[in-house]
Amino acid sequence: MTTLSPNEIIARRVAKELSDGMLVNLGIGLPTQVANYLPKNMTVFLQSENGLIGLGARPPEGMEDDDLTDAGGTPVMAIPGAARIDSVFSFGLIRGGHLDMTVLGGLQVDAQGKLANWMIPGKMAPGMGGAMDLVSGAKKVVVAMQHTAKGAHKIVQECTLPLTATRPVSLIVTDMAVIEPTPEGLVLRELAPGVTVDQVITATGTHLIISEDIHEMDLEGD
């Protein structure tokens, strides 16, 4: 495998969490890249809270449709059987607990697995979007983010930014590691290729429990 960018590492690893028949929401930004690495011969229904079930990959240049976008306004294609729905139905799916998984970006995640991802005080925010509903309503919440930002910790003892929800997330996937929030604390499960446990500990702003069966991430395509 050629050298992967940090975002490619994250998107490839998150794609391994998907399974056939799942209804999955991909958040704005990095999470949308997960769609590029869906396992072959697997049908996953990607949902966008702006009203589409059955998102596909980005269309070829010149084939964009302004009426067919993800929640961030990026043009997408639709898979056979896709459905356009209104916001009421879309958020009914989310709030009703019908989403198997959501993948969201993150600004901070704390030692209890609580996520902050919707605003930075003092900076203009377009709105909270669906993040609060998604973290509260999806069966599984995966945070896809780079491990640090300009050298600063993003996995911290306690979030200093406004929380998205008080419910802990299910899994944190970064360009360095896979970390699982548990009642006992954050458990370091996997390492990205070439990354050591000591490097992850240094890049993390809170205590990590090292799994007894820690191993390297599987980033190979199916």
Side-chain angles (χ1 to χ4, degrees):
M1 182 184 296
T2 57
T3 302
L4 301 176
S5 70
N7 285 358
E8 286 175 320
I9 291 171
I10 297 166
R12 282 177 176 270
R13 177 57 187 83
V14 171
K16 298 292 182 179
E17 295 297 309
L18 305 180
S19 58
D20 202 47
M22 290 181 82
L23 178 61
V24 179
N25 173 279
L26 300 181
I28 296 171
L30 168 57
T32 62
Q33 296 184 28
V34 174
N36 298 328
Y37 304 106
L38 296 180
K40 295 178 182 178
N41 302 317
M42 179 185 292
T43 301
V44 175
F45 297 95
L46 300 179
Q47 183 259 7
S48 181
E49 60 261 37
N50 60 320
L52 180 63
I53 299 175
L55 277 79
R58 293 198 63 172
E61 187 174 352
M63 297 293 290
E64 298 88 350
D65 181 348
D66 291 340
D67 293 324
L68 195 60
T69 70
D70 62 21
T74 300
V76 294
M77 294 189 293
I79 65 172
R84 288 182 175 180
I85 56 178
D86 63 15
S87 292
V88 174
F89 191 97
S90 182
F91 277 86
L93 290 174
I94 295 169
R95 295 170 181 168
H98 302 290
L99 280 181
D100 294 300
M101 187 168 84
T102 183
V103 183
L104 299 171
L107 297 171
Q108 292 179 329
V109 181
D110 70 14
Q112 298 179 37
K114 295 178 183 177
L115 171 67
N117 82 335
W118 72 281
M119 73 167 296
I120 299 175
K123 292 191 176 183
M124 180 179 176
M128 66 182 68
M132 295 179 180
D133 300 276
L134 289 162
V135 175
S136 300
K139 296 174 185 175
K140 182 174 183 177
V141 180
V142 177
V143 177
M145 67 179 188
Q146 294 197 22
H147 208 96
T148 61
K150 298 180 180 179
H153 296 144
K154 296 183 70 173
I155 302 175
V156 295
Q157 178 61 30
E158 186 174 355
C159 290
T160 57
L161 299 174
L163 292 178
T164 303
T166 57
R167 176 193 176 191
V169 302
S170 310
L171 200 68
I172 307 162
V173 179
T174 78
D175 53 318
M176 298 183 72
V178 175
I179 297 171
E180 181 184 7
T182 71
E184 291 73 36
L186 300 180
V187 179
L188 177 57
R189 299 286 188 195
E190 302 176 23
L191 299 169
V195 175
T196 67
V197 170
D198 286 344
Q199 287 174 323
V200 175
I201 291 173
T202 299
T204 304
T206 189
H207 176 68
L208 293 174
I209 302 168
I210 312 303
S211 173
E212 294 182 357
D213 62 346
I214 190 169
H215 56 278
E216 185 175 292
M217 291 182 191
D218 177 11
L219 302 176
E220 296 291 338
D222 292 340

